[in-house]
Amino acid sequence: MSEAVGEESRRLTREQLFTVVAAASINFSSMMCYSILGPFFPSEAEKKGASNTIVGLIFGCFALFNFLTSLILGNYLSQIGAKFMFVSGMFVSGCVTILFGMLDKVPSGPMFISFCFLVRAMDAISFAAAMTASFSILAKAFPTNIATVLGSLEIFSGLGLVLGPPLGGFLYQSFGYEVPFITLGCIVLALVPVNMCILPRYDSTPTKESFWKLILLPKVLILCFTIFSLSACLGFFDPTISLFILKKFKLPAGYVGLVFLGLALSYSLSSPLLGLLSDKLPYLRKWLLIFGDLITAVCLFMLGPAPVLHIESQLWIFVLVLVLIGFSLGMSAIPVFPEILQCAHENGFEEGLSLLGLVSGLFNAMWSLGAFVGPILGGFLNEKLGFEWAAAIQGGWPLLSGLATGIFYIIETTRKSSSSSLQNPPGDNEERTHLMGNET
């Protein structure tokens, strides 16, 4: 009997290990594909007749389709199957990444812009499928320490963000536009058969719970705004930061990616610790959410810096602020997923893969909505006001989110205190003590 239990324990551990490996592969490859555009695509698109605003729309198009499909795929995760959704999403993503490398052959002007939108939309749908399934599978495999696992896997996301820009910049400078995308697309496709073999299958019975019931919970609404605000800030960097670095600090394209190291490294290295804190000390989550948002807002105000501060922009200040932004984003982003899950359980949602699909889809959808608004608004503000003012205005998102989160938790704490005092009034305690004395 004990041998059977031991074998079962080892089997579960093996399943968890394979699940982590599969999730790490999609985190790494997807962030590589996402971040590789930053150093050279905006300037390449400008040569093809795209304005700053159009470049922002191309980046934002990915997020818009990701937003729409995440909601749908999360709702039907149980019917489609988590493993099939994960593997098929990864396969399509690899194919589409290679296609994106062929866009320089398309004639400049409306034709080039149209194909950019089409390919990015296809990539977004595949990305939504893979990431929604990945989050759900991880939460299923690690129900009690999901924040720790998600935080640890952000190392691979950060590694993809770190390697993507410099690798993309190097390959672009050395071999031209096509090679970075073909290389990454082939890497993603090579990982597909590996994940088909190692990823466990998680089955679940579909439930009748809906996104509307989940998202209309007040706490979930606040947390959704937090996800949106953080993603909008990151999305703002896509069409703007490389152009600012090139013009302001006169760095070559190959070195632009190195500036991104500050943000990516600080985020990926701090995320495991923040995830561990979130799981071991759940009461700290609200403080991480609040202070993470407020620090991000201050850092964006300092990134330019805002002209009202009359501080000259210097490269070392720019990199330092990016490091702080990476840490503060981790403070706010890591606790959100377990907080939404906890809120759903407290409000009667049935535990299982269906709920995890809803939460994963909602998380990815809100992140994608922010990634849609961020580049579009960022590209427009950058074109009209310049990077310094655009970054400061973009900091309004996390500022509002931090203030809203703080107000919500104050109200929630006050209600709980009032409820407990009504259930156990002082008079009742004194009367109970008096009766016990008389009986004695």
Side-chain angles (χ1 to χ4, degrees), residues 68-139:
L68 296 173
T69 51
S70 290
L71 293 172
I72 297 169
L73 293 171
N75 205 28
Y76 291 98
L77 178 72
S78 296
Q79 290 90 332
I80 297 172
K83 182 174 180 177
F84 177 79
M85 186 183 291
F86 181 93
V87 173
S88 59
M90 203 169 186
F91 174 76
V92 175
S93 180
C95 294
V96 172
T97 300
I98 294 174
L99 280 177
F100 205 87
M102 307 299 174
L103 290 180
D104 67 325
K105 309 297 184 186
V106 179
S108 301
M111 182 74 74
F112 171 80
I113 293 170
S114 299
F115 272 94
C116 282
F117 280 120
L118 178 62
V119 176
R120 286 289 280 176
M122 293 168 60
D123 195 18
I125 294 170
S126 62
F127 180 82
M131 292 307 296
T132 299
S134 175
F135 273 46
S136 303
I137 291 170
L138 283 170

Side-chain angles (χ1 to χ4, degrees), residues 321-335:
V321 172
L322 284 179
V323 170
L324 293 174
I325 289 175
F327 179 73
S328 62
L329 285 173
M331 288 177 67
S332 297
I334 298 301

Side-chain angles (χ1 to χ4, degrees), residues 234-255:
L234 278 178
F236 159 72
F237 294 145
D238 291 332
T240 60
I241 199 169
S242 63
L243 296 175
F244 178 74
I245 294 169
L246 289 169
K247 293 175 182 177
K248 192 73 175 180
F249 305 117
K250 311 298 182 186
L251 294 179
Y255 289 92

Side-chain angles (χ1 to χ4, degrees), residues 33-350:
C33 295
Y34 182 81
S35 63
I36 197 175
L37 296 174
F40 62 87
F41 180 75
S43 57
E44 191 73 23
E46 281 186 344
K47 295 176 187 175
K48 290 280 191 177
S51 66
N52 277 354
T53 304
I54 293 296
V55 171
L57 284 169
I58 291 171
F59 278 102
C61 165
F62 179 93
L64 177 63
F65 280 88
N66 202 333
F67 165 70
L68 296 173
T69 51
S70 290
L71 293 172
I72 297 169
L73 293 171
N75 205 28
Y76 291 98
L77 178 72
S78 296
Q79 290 90 332
I80 297 172
K83 182 174 180 177
F84 177 79
M85 186 183 291
F86 181 93
V87 173
S88 59
M90 203 169 186
F91 174 76
V92 175
S93 180
C95 294
V96 172
T97 300
I98 294 174
L99 280 177
F100 205 87
M102 307 299 174
L103 290 180
D104 67 325
K105 309 297 184 186
V106 179
S108 301
M111 182 74 74
F112 171 80
I113 293 170
S114 299
F115 272 94
C116 282
F117 280 120
L118 178 62
V119 176
R120 286 289 280 176
M122 293 168 60
D123 195 18
I125 294 170
S126 62
F127 180 82
M131 292 307 296
T132 299
S134 175
F135 273 46
S136 303
I137 291 170
L138 283 170
K140 181 72 173 178
F142 300 92
T144 58
N145 51 355
I146 180 60
T148 303
V149 175
L150 288 177
S152 300
L153 284 172
E154 288 306 305
I155 292 176
F156 295 94
S157 298
L159 190 61
L161 285 171
V162 166
L163 294 179
L167 179 63
F170 170 76
L171 291 175
Y172 172 73
Q173 276 194 324
S174 303
F175 304 104
Y177 178 84
E178 301 94 340
V179 173
F181 297 102
I182 294 173
T183 303
L184 282 183
C186 290
I187 292 172
V188 175
L189 289 177
L191 291 171
V192 171
V194 176
N195 286 318
M196 288 177 68
C197 296
I198 68 172
L199 186 64
R201 184 181 298 276
Y202 293 98
D203 298 318
S204 176
T205 304
T207 63
K208 296 181 180 179
E209 307 291 3
S210 68
F211 274 112
W212 291 114
K213 183 179 176 183
L214 179 64
I215 200 173
L216 290 178
L217 297 173
K219 186 175 183 178
V220 173
L221 273 174
I222 297 291
L223 293 171
C224 284
F225 184 61
T226 298
I227 301 168
F228 167 83
S229 66
L230 298 177
S231 178
C233 293
L234 278 178
F236 159 72
F237 294 145
D238 291 332
T240 60
I241 199 169
S242 63
L243 296 175
F244 178 74
I245 294 169
L246 289 169
K247 293 175 182 177
K248 192 73 175 180
F249 305 117
K250 311 298 182 186
L251 294 179
Y255 289 92
V256 171
L258 296 176
V259 178
F260 286 86
L261 286 174
L263 188 151
L265 280 177
S266 62
Y267 175 74
S268 58
L269 294 177
S270 63
S271 290
L273 175 61
L274 293 168
L276 185 64
L277 284 174
S278 181
D279 280 330
K280 299 299 181 184
L281 304 170
Y283 63 87
L284 286 181
R285 289 176 191 162
K286 58 186 176 185
W287 299 111
L288 291 174
L289 287 165
I290 295 168
F291 283 105
D293 280 336
L294 296 179
I295 293 171
T296 302
V298 173
C299 287
L300 283 167
F301 199 72
M302 290 291 298
L303 187 62
V308 72
L309 297 176
H310 302 292
I311 299 174
E312 184 181 353
S313 181
Q314 298 182 51
L315 184 59
W316 71 269
I317 295 178
F318 192 83
V319 174
L320 176 62
V321 172
L322 284 179
V323 170
L324 293 174
I325 289 175
F327 179 73
S328 62
L329 285 173
M331 288 177 67
S332 297
I334 298 301
V336 170
F337 195 91
E339 277 287 281
I340 295 178
L341 270 180
Q342 180 183 332
C343 181
H345 292 151
E346 290 172 352
N347 285 273
F349 279 77
E350 184 180 340

